[in-house]
Amino acid sequence: MSARQVTLHDKSFSVYFPSEDIRLAVQKVAGEIERDLNGETPLFIGVLNGVVPFAADLLREMQVDCEITFVKLSSYSGTKSTGQVSVDLGLNEKIAGRTIVVLEDIIDTGLTVEKILNLLEGENPKTVKVASLLYKPDAFKGNYKVDYVGKEIPNEFVVGYGLDYDGLGRNLKDIYKIVE
Ligand code: IMP
Ligand code: MG
């Protein structure tokens, strides 16, 4: 059993989505992606660091051939987006003609994924889709569609299952929300 409440740095968090809910959300996303593939072998592009547990679980739910690579971007400091996205590790893969699915742990303002979509645009992919385990529609400012969403959540800060608060919490099996 995991703890109902955890403390990371100076803040407390309580369980929001237990691991079983997460598993079902990941299965749902994998099923939707597969349904749209039309026999293509997708290249997943995961956004480090937070996407690691989601990417690992999603990959193992896929019943068809697929490939994965990662990019690293950062925009968050503490519990807030800085509004600036920096690319810490870029793309090396051949993108031209590929079916791309960008994978995120959470889409908040949407700036991080927008930056990746802009990078991909010049590389002539066949199609680009976006999949995120969590999505905060009330915070979203992007000009693109989030094609696959595990769970929509209100504008609250969450940790666990890859998501961190200043580096901590990524190892938690459940997803927790901040106790205000
Ligand atoms: P966006 O660019 O504002 O969409 O933010 C995306 C990134 O910010 C995510 O990949 C996370 O790394 C981080 N982030 C956004 N919301 C949260 C949250 O509630 N908890 C932890 N990290 C978050
Ligand atoms: Mg992330």
Side-chain angles (χ1 to χ4, degrees), residues 68-79:
I68 190 162
T69 188
F70 294 94
V71 291
K72 188 169 182 187
L73 290 92
S74 50
S75 65
Y76 248 63
S77 173
T79 63

Side-chain angles (χ1 to χ4, degrees), residues 47-51 73 103-106 112 162-164 170:
V47 186
L48 294 172
N49 297 323
V51 83
L73 290 92
L103 286 185
E104 255 286 32
D105 49 356
I106 189 163
T112 306
L163 293 149
D164 72 305
R170 296 195 196 275

Side-chain angles (χ1 to χ4, degrees), residues 20 124 128 136-137 145 151:
E20 178 59 16
N124 295 316
V128 180
K136 298 182 190 170
K145 186 168 172 259
K151 285 179 183 292

Side-chain angles (χ1 to χ4, degrees), residues 1-50:
M1 253 318 264
S2 42
R4 303 290 308 163
Q5 190 140 343
V6 295
T7 301
L8 303 169
H9 301 295
D10 57 339
K11 297 196 190 303
S12 296
F13 299 84
S14 59
V15 172
Y16 193 22
F17 299 123
S19 55
E20 178 59 16
D21 288 10
I22 301 171
R23 196 175 65 81
L24 294 174
V26 174
Q27 280 177 349
K28 183 191 78 159
V29 171
E32 290 174 2
I33 293 172
E34 273 186 6
R35 206 188 49 209
D36 292 347
L37 278 177
N38 296 318
E40 303 275 341
T41 299
L43 173 63
F44 289 113
I45 300 180
V47 186
L48 294 172
N49 297 323

Side-chain angles (χ1 to χ4, degrees), residues 131-167:
S132 187
L133 177 65
L134 302 179
Y135 173 47
K136 298 182 190 170
D138 298 339
F140 188 65
K141 298 193 207 114
N143 265 322
Y144 56 91
K145 186 168 172 259
V146 184
D147 302 282
Y148 309 103
V149 173
K151 285 179 183 292
E152 284 193 5
I153 62 167
N155 211 347
E156 283 173 310
F157 190 75
V158 293
V159 295
Y161 194 72
L163 293 149
D164 72 305
Y165 168 43
D166 269 348

Side-chain angles (χ1 to χ4, degrees), residues 59-83:
L59 213 64
R60 284 174 293 179
E61 293 293 346
M62 297 293 295
Q63 314 276 322
V64 298
D65 285 349
C66 49
E67 296 174 30
I68 190 162
T69 188
F70 294 94
V71 291
K72 188 169 182 187
L73 290 92
S74 50
S75 65
Y76 248 63
S77 173
T79 63
K80 296 262 166 351
S81 172
T82 60

